[in-house]
Amino acid sequence: MKRLLLILSVIVFTGTTITAQESVLFAAKAGINFATMTPSESFSDNNTKTGIHLGLLAEIPLSNRFSIQPEVLYAQQGTSAYVIMIGSGPKKQNINWIIFS
């Protein structure tokens, strides 16, 4: 995972220095997630979970009409359900993602 992050960072920053004359734009994203999971035998009291998502993006122009937009996004998703595991008591299910696109 560290190697992948390093490679992606090198690609993004190399692209930024190459096209710096064409005004690379940086921005931040933020929002709210309302997530739920499909109920199954493993879940009880399945409710919607409210979470946040935060991210950074860069718009890198490659020509006058074409650009790429890499993003890194942190998102809280999951459900407020209690997971019933064999051999243990119920546990709350929370999922946090780091998304590269």
Side-chain angles (χ1 to χ4, degrees):
M1 183 68 183
K2 289 182 183 179
R3 182 173 284 180
L4 176 64
L5 185 60
L6 177 65
I7 292 170
L8 288 173
S9 298
V10 168
I11 290 171
V12 168
F13 291 122
T14 302
T16 302
T17 57
I18 290 172
T19 60
Q21 306 86 341
E22 298 181 25
S23 68
V24 175
L25 301 174
F26 295 96
K29 290 175 101 171
I32 298 175
N33 285 338
F34 298 103
T36 188
M37 297 176 95
T38 304
S40 70
E41 301 157 359
S42 302
F43 293 133
S44 66
D45 296 332
N46 189 15
N47 296 316
T48 301
K49 179 182 179 218
T50 303
I52 61 168
H53 67 266
L54 303 169
L56 299 172
L57 63 95
E59 184 177 351
I60 304 168
L62 299 178
S63 70
N64 289 339
R65 296 185 180 197
F66 185 76
S67 63
I68 59 173
Q69 181 176 313
E71 298 182 18
V72 177
L73 184 68
Y74 168 78
Q76 293 178 330
Q77 298 176 352
T79 183
S80 292
Y82 283 93
V83 181
I84 301 167
M85 306 286 279
I86 297 174
S88 67
K91 297 182 180 180
K92 195 164 189 161
Q93 182 72 35
N94 291 315
I95 302 171
N96 297 317
W97 297 91
I98 296 180
I99 303 164
F100 297 96
S101 61

PDB file of all heavy atoms in Angstrom, residues 42 82-92:
ATOM      1  N   SER A  42     -27.227 -11.670   9.303  1.00  0.00           N
ATOM      2  CA  SER A  42     -26.159 -11.241  10.203  1.00  0.00           C
ATOM      3  C   SER A  42     -26.447  -9.910  10.880  1.00  0.00           C
ATOM      4  O   SER A  42     -25.813  -9.568  11.858  1.00  0.00           O
ATOM      5  CB  SER A  42     -24.853 -11.110   9.426  1.00  0.00           C
ATOM      6  OG  SER A  42     -24.527 -12.317   8.814  1.00  0.00           O
ATOM      7  N   TYR A  82     -26.045  -3.864  14.183  1.00  0.00           N
ATOM      8  CA  TYR A  82     -25.179  -4.683  15.021  1.00  0.00           C
ATOM      9  C   TYR A  82     -24.956  -6.008  14.308  1.00  0.00           C
ATOM     10  O   TYR A  82     -25.903  -6.672  13.910  1.00  0.00           O
ATOM     11  CB  TYR A  82     -25.798  -4.898  16.401  1.00  0.00           C
ATOM     12  CG  TYR A  82     -25.662  -3.687  17.267  1.00  0.00           C
ATOM     13  CD1 TYR A  82     -26.668  -2.733  17.324  1.00  0.00           C
ATOM     14  CD2 TYR A  82     -24.500  -3.465  17.996  1.00  0.00           C
ATOM     15  CE1 TYR A  82     -26.531  -1.606  18.107  1.00  0.00           C
ATOM     16  CE2 TYR A  82     -24.349  -2.328  18.774  1.00  0.00           C
ATOM     17  CZ  TYR A  82     -25.367  -1.412  18.822  1.00  0.00           C
ATOM     18  OH  TYR A  82     -25.209  -0.288  19.584  1.00  0.00           O
ATOM     19  N   VAL A  83     -23.692  -6.372  14.105  1.00  0.00           N
ATOM     20  CA  VAL A  83     -23.329  -7.601  13.414  1.00  0.00           C
ATOM     21  C   VAL A  83     -23.321  -8.735  14.430  1.00  0.00           C
ATOM     22  O   VAL A  83     -22.685  -8.634  15.477  1.00  0.00           O
ATOM     23  CB  VAL A  83     -21.942  -7.472  12.748  1.00  0.00           C
ATOM     24  CG1 VAL A  83     -21.575  -8.737  12.024  1.00  0.00           C
ATOM     25  CG2 VAL A  83     -21.923  -6.287  11.811  1.00  0.00           C
ATOM     26  N   ILE A  84     -24.015  -9.814  14.109  1.00  0.00           N
ATOM     27  CA  ILE A  84     -24.067 -10.963  14.997  1.00  0.00           C
ATOM     28  C   ILE A  84     -23.035 -11.971  14.515  1.00  0.00           C
ATOM     29  O   ILE A  84     -23.153 -12.525  13.428  1.00  0.00           O
ATOM     30  CB  ILE A  84     -25.480 -11.579  15.004  1.00  0.00           C
ATOM     31  CG1 ILE A  84     -26.499 -10.530  15.463  1.00  0.00           C
ATOM     32  CG2 ILE A  84     -25.512 -12.811  15.899  1.00  0.00           C
ATOM     33  CD1 ILE A  84     -27.921 -10.917  15.222  1.00  0.00           C
ATOM     34  N   MET A  85     -22.001 -12.168  15.306  1.00  0.00           N
ATOM     35  CA  MET A  85     -20.919 -13.093  14.957  1.00  0.00           C
ATOM     36  C   MET A  85     -21.041 -14.345  15.805  1.00  0.00           C
ATOM     37  O   MET A  85     -21.356 -14.262  16.991  1.00  0.00           O
ATOM     38  CB  MET A  85     -19.556 -12.440  15.208  1.00  0.00           C
ATOM     39  CG  MET A  85     -19.365 -11.107  14.525  1.00  0.00           C
ATOM     40  SD  MET A  85     -19.119 -11.233  12.773  1.00  0.00           S
ATOM     41  CE  MET A  85     -17.418 -11.637  12.725  1.00  0.00           C
ATOM     42  N   ILE A  86     -20.751 -15.477  15.201  1.00  0.00           N
ATOM     43  CA  ILE A  86     -20.759 -16.733  15.939  1.00  0.00           C
ATOM     44  C   ILE A  86     -19.604 -16.719  16.931  1.00  0.00           C
ATOM     45  O   ILE A  86     -18.467 -16.436  16.584  1.00  0.00           O
ATOM     46  CB  ILE A  86     -20.641 -17.930  14.988  1.00  0.00           C
ATOM     47  CG1 ILE A  86     -21.859 -17.976  14.072  1.00  0.00           C
ATOM     48  CG2 ILE A  86     -20.494 -19.239  15.759  1.00  0.00           C
ATOM     49  CD1 ILE A  86     -21.796 -19.021  13.007  1.00  0.00           C
ATOM     50  N   GLY A  87     -19.892 -17.014  18.194  1.00  0.00           N
ATOM     51  CA  GLY A  87     -18.852 -17.062  19.208  1.00  0.00           C
ATOM     52  C   GLY A  87     -18.569 -15.737  19.885  1.00  0.00           C
ATOM     53  O   GLY A  87     -17.698 -15.648  20.726  1.00  0.00           O
ATOM     54  N   SER A  88     -19.284 -14.657  19.499  1.00  0.00           N
ATOM     55  CA  SER A  88     -19.087 -13.369  20.166  1.00  0.00           C
ATOM     56  C   SER A  88     -20.407 -12.616  20.165  1.00  0.00           C
ATOM     57  O   SER A  88     -21.359 -12.988  19.497  1.00  0.00           O
ATOM     58  CB  SER A  88     -18.002 -12.548  19.460  1.00  0.00           C
ATOM     59  OG  SER A  88     -18.437 -12.175  18.185  1.00  0.00           O
ATOM     60  N   GLY A  89     -20.439 -11.546  20.891  1.00  0.00           N
ATOM     61  CA  GLY A  89     -21.649 -10.741  20.974  1.00  0.00           C
ATOM     62  C   GLY A  89     -21.794  -9.826  19.770  1.00  0.00           C
ATOM     63  O   GLY A  89     -20.952  -9.807  18.870  1.00  0.00           O
ATOM     64  N   PRO A  90     -22.868  -9.042  19.729  1.00  0.00           N
ATOM     65  CA  PRO A  90     -23.078  -8.118  18.615  1.00  0.00           C
ATOM     66  C   PRO A  90     -22.020  -7.016  18.585  1.00  0.00           C
ATOM     67  O   PRO A  90     -21.544  -6.572  19.611  1.00  0.00           O
ATOM     68  CB  PRO A  90     -24.467  -7.543  18.880  1.00  0.00           C
ATOM     69  CG  PRO A  90     -24.814  -7.914  20.262  1.00  0.00           C
ATOM     70  CD  PRO A  90     -23.928  -9.032  20.699  1.00  0.00           C
ATOM     71  N   LYS A  91     -21.640  -6.619  17.380  1.00  0.00           N
ATOM     72  CA  LYS A  91     -20.643  -5.566  17.187  1.00  0.00           C
ATOM     73  C   LYS A  91     -21.173  -4.564  16.174  1.00  0.00           C
ATOM     74  O   LYS A  91     -21.775  -4.934  15.191  1.00  0.00           O
ATOM     75  CB  LYS A  91     -19.331  -6.164  16.682  1.00  0.00           C
ATOM     76  CG  LYS A  91     -18.719  -7.116  17.673  1.00  0.00           C
ATOM     77  CD  LYS A  91     -17.421  -7.659  17.175  1.00  0.00           C
ATOM     78  CE  LYS A  91     -16.888  -8.610  18.231  1.00  0.00           C
ATOM     79  NZ  LYS A  91     -15.654  -9.212  17.898  1.00  0.00           N
ATOM     80  N   LYS A  92     -20.899  -3.303  16.413  1.00  0.00           N
ATOM     81  CA  LYS A  92     -21.320  -2.249  15.496  1.00  0.00           C
ATOM     82  C   LYS A  92     -20.416  -2.238  14.266  1.00  0.00           C
ATOM     83  O   LYS A  92     -19.203  -2.356  14.387  1.00  0.00           O
ATOM     84  CB  LYS A  92     -21.280  -0.903  16.201  1.00  0.00           C
ATOM     85  CG  LYS A  92     -22.013   0.169  15.463  1.00  0.00           C
ATOM     86  CD  LYS A  92     -22.282   1.342  16.363  1.00  0.00           C
ATOM     87  CE  LYS A  92     -23.199   2.287  15.629  1.00  0.00           C
ATOM     88  NZ  LYS A  92     -23.854   3.191  16.508  1.00  0.00           N
TER      89      LYS A  92
END
